[in-house]
Amino acid sequence: MTVTGSPAARVALLMRDMGRREAEGGSRQKATQNLVPARPSSLKFAELGSFLAARRAEVTPEQVGLPGGGSRRLTGLRREEVAMLAGIGASWYAWIEQGRAKNVSLEILEAIAHVLRLNEVECLHMMRLAGYAVPRRPRNPVDDDRRLAMRVVDSFLPKPAYFVDRYWDVLAANSTAMRLLGFEGANHNYLETLFLDPRSRDRFADWDRVADEAVARFRTQSGEFLGDPRLAALTQHLRECSPVFAELWERHRFGDGTHVTQELRHPDLGQVCLSQLCLDFAARPGLQLILLDPQSGAVADRIARWARGVPLSSAPVPVPA
């Protein structure tokens, strides 16, 4: 089957076709295991409702062919409007947003995704929360993992590279990443460094965008580990200590870390532009390898000479103290 259109439409059409073929074969459960509801916890149902409410608030009536303006005080869609456009009962949709609907079908989720104009990442996140994906089980890193991680990031030198776990604790970082990102010392958490260390705003020339993208990626990843006490404590700590993190968290943005550029500044190196690549590991849920690749040969050469301690020929870009 050839499917065209937006990512959300492609996901919906593919899943609808899969459901039709499964029905023809007799039982959806017999056809595929990874679409069998995994009975997610109440936390996931509540998160699903919160996510849908946030997306609903961002879709205007005009985007879905409804009249807007006039005396209308709500900028987004009403629950009743989403239900009408999705072809479901208003009470049933209200239950979904309230986290009270425990058996939402694929067809209903597809219809809601279409109305709320969800992209592919958001669609997959919604399906996981509703129980239509097998949850990955995180495992704690062991010493052998850390030793291997150090060999991996050091092999990427002189370019920056580092590993973070599902809590975004920095498990391993090569010397270039440590110097550029402020990971010197032990027990660094990337999010705490980014949001709670005032020096991070000087470290990133585009700090606001970096912060937005980090929270979007963290929120996407943490949806798989809802109910983890330490993850919940970290999120609450960041929300209480950083108003910016709290605001970004409530936006329910999602991302996978692809097509991200970071502009880093250092007093000796100056300002450099790097492309970020995030790699996940199926056998280590929550573990990510972050590679920062210079966007030009000149930047790569400058970082290499700086990492070796070779004096740079041109004056570095001034960086606030």
Side-chain angles (χ1 to χ4, degrees):
M1 180 182 67
T2 301
V3 181
T4 60
S6 68
R10 292 198 299 271
V11 170
L13 287 172
L14 287 169
M15 298 192 77
R16 184 177 296 114
D17 180 71
M18 184 179 294
R20 185 182 304 112
R21 286 186 282 109
E22 290 167 353
E24 293 170 354
S27 169
R28 178 176 294 140
Q29 184 173 1
K30 292 180 181 178
T32 177
Q33 291 184 345
N34 68 339
L35 287 179
V36 175
R39 293 186 179 181
S41 66
S42 296
L43 283 174
K44 286 196 173 184
F45 287 122
E47 178 70 6
L48 173 62
S50 179
F51 165 66
L52 294 177
R55 293 284 75 79
R56 173 170 60 85
E58 295 190 348
V59 179
T60 65
E62 293 83 359
Q63 288 177 308
V64 294
L66 295 177
S71 59
R72 184 185 181 101
R73 290 180 295 176
L74 188 68
T75 56
L77 296 178
R78 300 185 178 96
R79 284 178 176 172
E80 295 80 5
E81 292 170 333
V82 175
M84 177 191 69
L85 292 168
I88 61 178
S91 297
W92 183 237
Y93 180 75
W95 275 38
I96 296 173
E97 277 203 8
Q98 293 164 2
R100 300 165 62 191
K102 309 302 182 185
N103 296 292
V104 186
S105 70
L106 280 170
E107 290 74 19
I108 287 178
L109 291 173
E110 294 164 8
I112 293 172
H114 178 71
V115 173
L116 298 183
R117 306 165 70 88
L118 302 186
N119 61 33
E120 188 170 359
V121 174
E122 291 168 334
C123 280
L124 294 176
H125 177 73
M126 177 185 66
M127 294 297 176
R128 279 198 297 265
L129 291 177
Y132 287 101
V134 176
R136 299 189 295 171
R137 290 180 171 82
R139 53 165 287 179
N140 294 323
V142 296
D143 289 340
D144 287 343
D145 292 338
R146 290 190 172 91
R147 284 192 288 269
L148 176 60
M150 280 306 308
R151 289 201 298 272
V152 170
V153 295
D154 282 346
S155 70
F156 201 62
L157 284 169
K159 303 173 184 178
Y162 60 97
F163 276 97
V164 295
D165 63 12
R166 63 184 180 274
Y167 310 111
W168 287 38
D169 289 338
V170 179
L171 300 182
N174 64 23
S175 56
T176 307
M178 292 173 65
R179 293 172 65 187
L180 272 178
L181 297 168
F183 293 156
E184 291 139 351
N187 302 320
H188 272 279
N189 179 276
Y190 181 90
L191 294 172
E192 289 182 334
T193 300
L194 181 63
F195 285 96
L196 305 183
D197 184 348
R199 295 173 296 181
S200 67
R201 287 185 177 270
D202 294 332
R203 190 172 293 124
F204 292 97
D206 53 350
W207 186 89
D208 289 334
R209 183 173 59 81
V210 170
D212 190 9
E213 290 165 346
V215 175
R217 189 157 50 96
F218 179 60
R219 179 122 212 182
T220 302
Q221 182 190 47
S222 62
E224 298 188 57
F225 309 121
L226 289 177
D228 184 317
R230 188 184 164 197
L231 191 66
L234 171 64
T235 303
Q236 186 62 27
H237 170 63
L238 290 167
R239 292 174 70 182
E240 291 175 352
C241 297
S242 171
V244 176
F245 179 90
E247 179 185 351
L248 293 174
W249 183 260
E250 291 305 319
R251 292 182 185 177
H252 286 264
R253 300 290 188 190
F254 294 88
D256 56 9
T258 58
H259 307 296
V260 172
T261 299
Q262 291 189 354
E263 293 183 36
L264 288 164
R265 299 186 292 200
H266 189 275
D268 300 324
L269 179 62
Q271 185 164 315
V272 292
C273 200
L274 307 169
S275 296
Q276 175 181 278
L277 177 64
C278 304
L279 301 177
D280 294 320
F281 295 82
R284 299 289 191 276
L287 184 66
Q288 298 176 85
L289 171 61
I290 314 299
L291 306 176
L292 297 175
D293 191 41
Q295 290 198 332
S296 70
V299 171
D301 179 66
R302 187 176 183 83
I303 290 177
R305 289 184 290 121
W306 172 73
R308 295 196 307 267
V310 177
L312 300 177
S313 57
S314 58
V317 176
V319 177

